[in-house]
Amino acid sequence: MSAAPNILILATGGTIAGTAGSALKRDYRPGQIGIESFIGQAGALGVAANLTGREIAAMGSEDITPEIWRALHDACDAAMDDSQVDAIIITHGTDTAEETALLLDLTLPTNKPIVLVGAMRPADAVGTDGIRNFLNAVRVASDADAAGRGVMMVMSDRIISARDARKAKTTGTDAFKGFPRDSIGTVTPSSLDWFGEPWAKGRAARFDFPAAFPHVPICHAYAGMQRDAVDCLLREETHGLVLAGFGEGNAPRVIFDRLAELAAKGVVVVRASRVDEGLVDRLPMDDEHGFVAARGLGPAKARILLQVLLANGISEMSEVQAAFDTR
Ligand code: GLU
């Protein structure tokens, strides 16, 4: 990478581009500030990288769609082959950033760094974290050692791998954590430390980007739930389902009985947990019924991985389990 890297910024909106109009009001709207504003601020602060902005969307990430995911994927994919681009930054709302990050991590090669960045406070809030997170993302994307680590998230001075990133708090600038692997590095606008070597150097895209996203519902466990909690989620075309179970992917007997019936009919059932942190490992019941254990992925990310697998024609239990087991 040259001394002044060329970084493509793909903007999608979120709080990082949001304003409240007043530091004392909560009436904020995401996706109000154009990416040129951040590029201008970074330039004024003396950032050496050449930043080029492109707006993919200007929205809260709760409204993200497969079409926007596709536009992001295709823009990243094209940039991978563009000698004028050294790295990519995606500005994104924090609510679904982990899902976008994992999807891109699964479907893109690792030869150039891809960094997702967001903010928890709007751009005009007192103590906004937006510009700091953005400068941190530029620092990471500019680093010669950043490629080969897959898609990364940069929030609150931490670099987190897409596979591990989770929004774990509803408010506060330290809302993200990595699980099961915590940060893979720390970053400030003036420093960068990696905790270890790139582990995925030169890795090709592992899966094709889905031509269509299969219907994969998430069944959220609660005490006293009955069969209809599963049945109301099913469509004729449902070939995968994620359980957001109690504890280590647990559920009432009546639910497991229903899920076992579905698995016997060829529906891929993944056991994840509604608990924020902790592994869901394979249990004897998984072998008995043909279930898959989500391991370190929470329900929303387990759903993304299962959609990608199904769209790539992978539905055999051991192959699906292997994908959940592989970082
Ligand atoms: N809900 C909005 C979003 O995810 C704002 C939250 C945020 O970016 O922190 O885009």
Side-chain angles (χ1 to χ4, degrees):
M1 204 179 284
S2 66
N6 299 317
I7 302 177
L8 174 65
I9 320 282
L10 301 172
T12 68
T15 294
I16 191 166
T19 55
S22 158
L24 303 179
K25 282 189 194 156
R26 286 199 51 142
D27 177 29
Y28 110 96
R29 285 175 295 161
Q32 299 299 301
I33 298 183
I35 191 60
E36 294 306 326
S37 163
F38 280 92
I39 292 174
Q41 287 182 71
L45 288 165
V47 167
N50 303 311
L51 308 178
T52 306
R54 182 168 148 204
E55 189 173 275
I56 301 285
M59 55 159 44
S61 70
E62 61 275 12
D63 291 323
I64 204 108
T65 61
E67 290 70 36
I68 294 171
W69 279 335
R70 176 178 300 282
L72 276 176
H73 172 272
D74 291 354
C76 291
D77 207 27
M80 290 290 168
D81 296 328
D82 184 345
S83 61
Q84 299 303 304
V85 178
D86 296 311
I88 302 152
I89 293 174
I90 300 171
T91 58
H92 202 290
T94 59
D95 285 349
T96 63
E98 64 204 77
E99 285 155 86
T100 300
L102 179 63
L103 175 63
L104 297 179
D105 188 63
L106 293 167
T107 55
L108 286 166
T110 63
N111 53 310
K112 294 179 186 177
I114 301 176
V115 182
L116 258 81
V117 65
M120 291 298 290
R121 295 178 181 157
D124 58 353
V126 175
T128 180
D129 52 335
I131 187 64
R132 184 180 180 96
N133 289 346
F134 184 75
L135 293 183
N136 286 347
V138 172
R139 184 150 187 120
V140 171
S142 303
D143 192 73
D145 232 8
R149 300 172 193 266
V151 175
M152 296 168 274
M153 277 204 68
V154 167
M155 290 290 290
S156 61
D157 294 359
R158 301 163 75 219
I159 311 164
I160 307 174
S161 153
R163 186 90 184 188
D164 304 306
R166 300 185 166 197
K167 188 173 186 180
K169 292 184 185 171
T170 57
T171 59
T173 55
D174 63 339
F176 278 78
K177 72 172 171 213
F179 178 84
R181 184 172 45 171
D182 197 4
S183 318
I184 57 169
T186 58
V187 59
T188 72
S190 57
S191 69
L192 172 59
D193 290 287
W194 295 109
F195 305 154
E197 298 299 313
W199 65 92
K201 256 188 173 161
R203 189 174 70 193
R206 287 171 288 178
F207 302 101
D208 288 340
F209 190 87
F213 282 77
H215 181 248
V216 173
I218 297 175
C219 179
H220 192 100
Y222 52 88
M225 69 196 298
Q226 298 294 325
R227 273 173 83 99
D228 65 336
V230 175
D231 289 340
C232 71
L233 300 170
L234 302 175
R235 294 186 195 160
E236 196 138 327
E237 74 272 21
T238 306
H239 292 302
L241 179 144
V242 174
L243 171 70
F246 311 122
E248 201 181 345
N250 203 1
R253 172 51 47 204
V254 66
I255 297 300
F256 278 137
D257 287 348
R258 182 67 182 120
L259 295 179
E261 285 171 19
L262 293 173
K265 285 186 194 154
V267 176
V268 182
V269 174
V270 176
R271 288 189 310 108
S273 178
R274 69 178 195 176
V275 178
D276 182 44
E277 199 172 289
L279 292 171
V280 175
D281 276 332
R282 281 192 73 77
L283 295 173
M285 80 156 108
D286 297 321
D287 292 329
E288 194 184 326
H289 301 308
F291 296 158
V292 172
R295 307 296 307 281
L297 293 183
K301 285 163 73 177
R303 175 176 180 269
I304 293 283
L305 176 53
L306 183 52
Q307 285 181 304
V308 169
L309 293 172
L310 292 174
N312 278 267
I314 299 167
S315 60
E316 203 273 310
M317 189 273 281
S318 61
E319 272 186 88
V320 176
Q321 186 65 65
F324 276 85
D325 291 345
T326 307
R327 290 200 59 83

